[in-house]
Amino acid sequence: MYTIRTYKRVESLEEAYELNQKKTTTILGGGMWLRLGSRQIGAAVDLSGLGLNTIEETDDAFIIGCMTPLRDMEIHQGLNQYFQDLIRDSLKDIVGVQFRNTATIGGSIYGRFGFSDPLTALLALDTTVEMYKGGMIPLEEFVNMPYDRDILVRIHIRKDGRRCAYQSFRNTRTDFPVLTTAVSCKEGQWRAVIGARPKKAALVEGAKKLPAKPEKQDVDALAKEACETLKYEDNMRASGEYRKILTGVLLNRAVETVCGGMDHED
């Protein structure tokens, strides 16, 4: 439960930015994750009147406004066709359709939550966040930056022809994930991401050393490196040791899916 003292539907990003410089101010996304905690919000700033709820496709990228509902991305034909359903697969099990109709991509990515499925998926792609004052920041840098009072405006996903796949494990469908994994390959260069450890998603550096078409032993070695270099912890959904076991399983499944797509295209 949270309470709001004052509410403002802003008419510009500059107005929103100025209001957000107060520590008691909160930018409203869909407001869904706010319900997980209990807090008092001095001023709630609503960006819904600024036209930031669209998905634009250009020759080079998909540009997604921060107020775009997760459901709009999940069912977007262009996004899913280009990225081989990675976007849909990362969103389809988040709570339920009504929830995804309200939760926004801006809130999900700015929050950098450990349980975030879309954060894991977008880290596997060439993704940049557009901040109002901070400009364009690669997502892999943004995810490790400290929180500040800037505003995430849009997300840019480059269309660079990479193959990709997403895998997650949940104890029950629509529950928070026990572990998430996304991989991608562009011109023989791999990228692998592990999330919900339950720490926030992180790249596995060893993926850069994978051969263009890795064998199972290559992926197993990558999983071992991930377990040694990333932090895994226990929570109510699973132990850290169980998550380490899942890492190898999900990485192998994701890499196999990507390699299968390569074979099909050849």
Side-chain angles (χ1 to χ4, degrees):
M1 174 71 72
Y2 61 90
T3 58
I4 296 173
R5 293 187 61 187
T6 61
Y7 164 86
K8 176 66 177 179
R9 190 170 188 262
V10 296
E11 298 180 0
S12 70
L13 283 169
E14 181 62 28
E15 181 184 10
Y17 179 80
E18 291 177 1
L19 290 170
N20 197 43
Q21 298 317 294
K22 295 182 179 180
K23 292 183 179 181
T24 56
T25 299
T26 295
I27 301 293
L28 294 179
M32 307 306 288
W33 302 123
L34 283 175
R35 300 179 186 181
L36 294 178
S38 178
R39 59 181 296 191
Q40 291 187 346
I41 297 172
V45 175
D46 184 356
L47 306 178
S48 63
L50 303 183
L52 296 172
N53 61 340
T54 62
I55 302 173
E56 176 188 0
E57 181 178 1
T58 69
D59 290 340
D60 302 318
F62 289 93
I63 304 171
I64 306 169
C66 63
M67 294 298 291
T68 301
L70 300 183
R71 178 65 174 171
D72 287 7
M73 295 176 62
E74 178 188 354
I75 63 176
H76 191 275
Q77 183 175 358
L79 274 172
N80 286 302
Q81 182 175 352
Y82 193 87
F83 296 112
Q84 308 103 58
D85 289 330
L86 173 133
I87 301 297
R88 184 202 65 184
D89 289 345
S90 71
L91 300 174
K92 62 184 177 64
D93 291 324
I94 298 177
V95 186
V97 171
Q98 290 179 326
F99 184 96
R100 300 193 298 277
N101 274 329
T102 303
T104 63
I105 189 62
S108 297
I109 297 303
Y110 185 84
R112 288 160 273 188
F113 304 113
F115 55 78
S116 176
D117 290 271
L119 182 60
T120 300
L122 293 180
L123 275 171
L125 306 177
D126 188 346
T127 306
T128 303
V129 296
E130 177 187 342
M131 306 301 292
Y132 179 59
K133 293 293 185 179
M136 305 294 283
I137 305 172
L139 182 59
E140 59 263 36
E141 294 181 17
F142 177 76
V143 72
N144 293 314
M145 290 172 58
Y147 293 98
D148 58 20
R149 310 304 296 179
D150 204 351
I151 297 172
L152 193 159
V153 182
R154 297 177 186 88
I155 293 169
H156 300 246
I157 313 174
R158 187 181 176 192
K159 296 164 67 176
D160 59 3
R162 71 180 62 228
R163 300 293 306 178
C164 51
Y166 185 83
Q167 291 283 328
S168 69
F169 180 82
R170 286 165 159 79
N171 291 326
T172 59
R173 190 174 181 183
T174 74
D175 190 12
F176 288 116
V178 172
L179 194 81
T180 59
T181 302
V183 302
S184 66
C185 185
K186 176 191 175 187
E187 298 175 352
Q189 298 297 308
W190 287 86
R191 181 178 292 196
V193 185
I194 309 294
R197 303 180 317 278
K199 297 291 187 179
K200 63 187 176 185
L203 289 160
V204 185
E205 288 298 318
K208 299 174 182 177
K209 297 179 288 186
L210 283 176
K213 291 193 176 181
E215 301 292 336
K216 185 178 186 303
Q217 60 266 28
D218 300 315
V219 184
D220 288 343
L222 178 63
K224 181 179 179 182
E225 178 182 329
C227 293
E228 292 173 347
T229 58
L230 300 178
K231 190 172 183 179
Y232 291 72
E233 295 181 352
D234 304 345
N235 68 1
M236 63 183 292
R237 290 178 175 82
S239 67
E241 288 303 312
Y242 184 59
R243 287 184 162 98
K244 289 180 179 181
I245 295 171
L246 285 174
T247 295
V249 175
L250 297 188
L251 275 177
N252 272 286
R253 288 178 182 173
V255 170
E256 183 178 357
T257 299
V258 171
C259 289
M262 291 175 178
D263 291 339
H264 180 72
E265 288 187 344
D266 292 343

